[in-house]
Amino acid sequence: MAKRIDYDAMLALRSEGLTASQIAERLGCSEDSVHRATRKFGLERRSSGKRPKLSPAQIHRLWVELVPTQEIADRAGISIGTMYAYAKSMHLPKRPKVERKQRSAVDPSPEEIERLKAVLKERHIQERMREDVTNTQSKVSKWRNNICSPRGVA
């Protein structure tokens, strides 16, 4: 027959912050028995996930001060995904989106356009010269060698 749990002891150990497996070990019962007892008393099951090193008040303060989310997560010792989930569970206010650099509203001059064209053309030529062309043949040389035929010719 299964051992009955001392519910008062279980609640006291749980209030000390012990996990279900630690409580079960101390009381000499199964972990499932501890989980059933927590449901019986209407207590929430604790997540086995990683807890932030910062208090909720510290996280809230950093969040409101618009410290970057990645920095808050690093300080708390959690991942950025966990930080967003934690922020959602804490009902933290939405933060304003960071404005990105906007393109200039002024159109470039014709001289600027020509200069950019020349730069891009030179970059393209340099990239093509770096390509390995030892294994390629042009379409014309393939036609000449009867490897393939031009379009429209059967």
Side-chain angles (χ1 to χ4, degrees), residues 32-85:
D32 286 336
S33 297
V34 175
H35 288 301
R36 267 196 248 58
T38 56
R39 278 196 310 272
K40 178 180 178 181
F41 288 107
L43 303 172
E44 289 184 22
R45 275 184 80 165
R46 292 190 180 140
S47 168
S48 61
K50 208 171 183 183
R51 294 279 184 223
K53 294 177 187 175
L54 301 176
S55 71
Q58 291 170 319
I59 291 175
H60 188 273
R61 182 181 50 77
L62 293 171
W63 186 268
V64 172
E65 289 175 0
L66 299 178
V67 173
T69 309
Q70 183 64 57
E71 189 178 328
I72 298 172
D74 290 342
R75 287 187 194 178
I78 55 178
S79 71
I80 193 163
T82 303
M83 180 60 228
Y84 280 119

Side-chain angles (χ1 to χ4, degrees), residues 3 11 33 46 49 54 65 77 93 117 133 137 146-147 149 152 154:
K3 183 178 178 188
L11 291 172
S33 297
R46 292 190 180 140
L54 301 176
E65 289 175 0
K117 277 167 107 177
V133 293
Q137 287 182 323
N146 292 324
I147 296 172
S149 60

Side-chain angles (χ1 to χ4, degrees), residues 4-18 23 26-27 29 33-34 37-38 40-41 43 46:
R4 292 190 55 85
I5 289 184
D6 180 3
Y7 293 119
D8 295 328
M10 192 261 323
L11 291 172
L13 292 172
R14 184 166 164 44
S15 67
E16 290 177 19
L18 271 64
I23 294 170
R26 289 214 184 156
L27 296 179
C29 63
S33 297
V34 175
T38 56
K40 178 180 178 181
F41 288 107
L43 303 172
R46 292 190 180 140

Side-chain angles (χ1 to χ4, degrees), residues 115-125:
R115 188 187 66 76
L116 289 172
K117 277 167 107 177
V119 168
L120 292 174
K121 185 175 182 179
E122 182 61 32
R123 188 183 305 163
H124 177 73
I125 290 170

